[in-house]
């Protein structure tokens, strides 16, 4: 099986914006590619004017009197004893809703699904901030995030007497993140207010661009590579190669001087 790769637009974020921006993107992708019936939960970002949809446990939706589960009928895997969800806020796939009885919620493995996903996402972000960033310029760090979806296949060798498990990756979402560690101005003078707004607008526009790319991919209908079986995900972060770092340093060093609009 060939692995399909999706490259999202690069993000440049202030240090305090990284966690929420990455949570927004990762949870959106995980909701789109959830391998079973899931309940949607909308989350509004605290630092950005953006609302995204993420996986919620069935018990969470039952407690809020909303037990509908979003499924994607256009996904071929939904015809193999399971359902595949569609994205909100941009996807045009036809959806259907299935209502689950509260009597079954204690036996539903999705009851703690949101906690498991949260744990993996938050752990990956902490690892990224702790050990995957390298300096690419003055007060600039960069790292690479990769969200991979894979299935486990049993393979037999030696006349079927020895069985091994193979992990087959069928899709990856790749994101480069630049972290700007420049202290944000905190004064109330006009220049500081304008600079804080510029930093905020730049990061928010980049995040919206990455979200739109996710919606574009999700609504393209290209799901033939999605396997008709249950699958898993993993999140890895890596440092950019030395030649990539040098290329970025060159771009930063040779940037033109800012125009002084007050002159």
């Amino acid at each position: 099986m060939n692995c399909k790769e999706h490259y999202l637009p690069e993000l440049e974020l202030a240090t305090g914006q990284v966690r929420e921006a990455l949570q927004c993107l990762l949870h959106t992708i995980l909701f789109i590619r959830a391998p079973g019936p899931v309940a949607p939960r909308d989350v509004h970002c605290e630092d950005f004017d953006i609302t995204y949809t993420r996986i919620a446990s069935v018990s969470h939706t039952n407690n809020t009197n909303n037990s509908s589960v979003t499924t994607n009928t256009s996904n071929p895997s939904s015809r193999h004893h399971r359902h595949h969800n569609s994205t909100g806020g941009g996807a045009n796939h036809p959806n259907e809703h299935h209502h689950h009885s509260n009597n079954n919620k204690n036996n539903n493995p999705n009851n703690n699904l949101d906690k498991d996903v949260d744990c993996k996402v938050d752990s990956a972000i902490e690892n990224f901030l702790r050990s995957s960033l390298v300096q690419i310029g003055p007060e600039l760090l960069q790292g690479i995030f990769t969200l991979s979806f894979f299935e486990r296949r049993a393979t037999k060798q030696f006349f079927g007497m020895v069985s091994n498990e193979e992990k087959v990756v069928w899709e990856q979402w790749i994101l480069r993140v630049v972290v700007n560690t420049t202290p944000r101005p905190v004064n109330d003078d006009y220049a500081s207010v304008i600079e804080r707004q510029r930093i905020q607008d730049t990061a928010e526009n980049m995040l919206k661009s990455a979200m739109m790319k996710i919606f574009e991919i999700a609504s393209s209908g290209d799901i033939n590579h999605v396997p008709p079986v249950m699958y898993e995900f993993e999140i890895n972060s890596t440092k950019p190669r030395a030649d990539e770092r040098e290329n970025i340093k060159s771009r930063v060093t040779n940037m033109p001087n800012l125009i002084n609009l007050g002159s």
Side-chain angles (χ1 to χ4, degrees):
M1 177 183 295
N2 294 327
C3 176
K4 184 173 287 292
E5 295 181 340
H6 303 299
Y7 289 88
L8 299 180
E10 184 178 82
L11 293 182
E12 181 175 340
L13 305 165
T15 304
Q17 298 171 324
V18 174
R19 285 181 177 83
E20 187 169 52
L22 291 177
Q23 286 173 343
C24 175
L25 295 176
L26 292 172
H27 279 298
T28 298
I29 298 170
L30 290 169
F31 176 75
I32 290 169
R33 287 293 186 254
V38 293
R41 176 158 65 94
D42 289 341
V43 178
H44 188 75
C45 296
E46 294 182 2
D47 292 332
F48 304 101
D49 187 19
I50 294 175
T51 299
Y52 64 93
T53 303
R54 54 151 297 160
I55 295 171
S57 65
V58 173
S59 58
H60 173 87
T61 7
N62 285 333
N63 291 336
T64 56
N65 296 322
N66 177 16
S67 59
S68 63
V69 177
T70 304
T71 61
N72 185 351
T73 58
S74 66
N75 192 326
S77 58
S78 66
R79 300 190 294 272
H80 291 75
H81 312 294
R82 72 180 184 87
H83 298 282
H84 188 87
N85 66 290
S86 68
T87 179
N92 297 318
H93 296 311
N95 292 330
E96 62 181 15
H97 297 278
H98 296 268
H99 296 274
H100 294 261
S101 168
N102 288 339
N103 295 331
N104 296 328
K105 67 181 182 179
N106 292 329
N107 296 324
N108 196 316
N110 282 335
N111 284 346
N112 295 318
L113 179 60
D114 58 338
K115 295 180 182 179
D116 295 337
V117 171
D118 276 346
C119 183
K120 281 190 175 183
V121 169
D122 292 343
S123 176
I125 293 174
E126 290 303 318
N127 182 65
F128 171 78
L129 292 172
R130 185 173 57 251
S131 59
S132 298
L133 292 172
V134 295
Q135 187 165 3
I136 59 171
E139 298 180 322
L140 290 176
L141 306 172
Q142 189 190 53
I144 302 172
F145 242 96
T146 303
L147 169 58
S148 303
F149 292 97
F150 64 92
E151 62 172 302
R152 298 184 185 275
R153 293 180 182 176
T155 59
K156 293 186 177 180
Q157 300 175 346
F158 300 106
F159 303 104
M161 292 183 293
V162 178
S163 180
N164 294 321
E165 190 175 66
E166 179 185 14
K167 185 170 73 173
V168 180
V169 177
W170 50 267
E171 185 177 72
Q172 289 185 323
W173 298 71
I174 301 162
L175 171 66
R176 292 179 179 274
V177 181
V178 175
V179 181
N180 192 328
T181 60
T182 304
R184 180 177 294 196
V186 296
N187 296 330
D188 293 329
D189 58 281
Y190 179 76
S192 297
V193 171
I194 291 297
E195 178 61 12
R196 284 199 300 271
Q197 191 61 48
R198 184 196 67 80
I199 294 172
Q200 179 66 28
D201 290 345
T202 299
E204 188 165 306
N205 288 335
M206 285 186 166
L207 181 55
K208 287 180 177 178
S209 177
M211 290 287 284
M212 289 305 299
K213 182 64 175 179
I214 294 172
F215 295 147
E216 176 186 325
I217 293 170
S219 60
S220 67
D222 184 11
I223 53 176
N224 292 328
H225 61 290
V226 179
V229 294
M230 295 299 289
Y231 48 81
E232 304 172 57
F233 76 91
E234 62 182 4
I235 306 172
N236 296 308
S237 54
T238 57
K239 299 177 181 179
R241 300 192 309 267
D243 56 336
E244 294 175 323
R245 296 200 298 269
E246 289 301 321
N247 182 41
I248 297 171
K249 285 182 181 179
S250 177
R251 282 161 43 197
V252 172
T253 304
N254 296 320
M255 286 179 62
N257 295 328
L258 294 176
I259 299 175
N260 186 353
L261 298 178
S263 60

